[in-house]
Amino acid sequence: MSNKMYDVLKYIAQIVLPAIATLYFALAGIWGFPYGEEIVGTITAVDTFLGVLLKISTDNYNKAKNQGE
């Protein structure tokens, strides 16, 4: 994974997805949007999965970097 791709995915995982989930959950409560819990749960599951992939990528990068020293 390139550094640019990693940075974009990290931004999405740390900023974008939690913000979207929070916004939808709040608006669903205020305006009665459908499937609030289902949509927020899905976003949270995708975000968690993305976080795990990024952690694995970071660990692999650090392992390769330390082996090269």
Side-chain angles (χ1 to χ4, degrees), residues 2 5-6 8 15 18-19 21-22 36 41 44 46-48 58 63-64 69:
S2 71
M5 173 70 83
Y6 176 85
V8 168
I15 306 297
T22 302
T44 302
V46 169
D47 192 33
T48 301
T58 299
K63 184 178 178 183
E69 292 179 354

Side-chain angles (χ1 to χ4, degrees), residues 4-24:
K4 175 127 176 112
M5 173 70 83
Y6 176 85
D7 290 342
V8 168
L9 290 175
K10 185 176 176 183
Y11 179 77
I12 290 169
Q14 291 183 330
I15 306 297
V16 175
L17 290 177
I20 290 171
T22 302
L23 177 64
Y24 192 86

Side-chain angles (χ1 to χ4, degrees), residues 60-69:
N60 288 338
Y61 174 82
N62 288 334
K63 184 178 178 183
K65 184 178 170 185
N66 289 337
Q67 287 178 353
E69 292 179 354

Side-chain angles (χ1 to χ4, degrees), residues 1 38 50 68:
M1 178 182 314
E38 292 85 349
L50 184 56

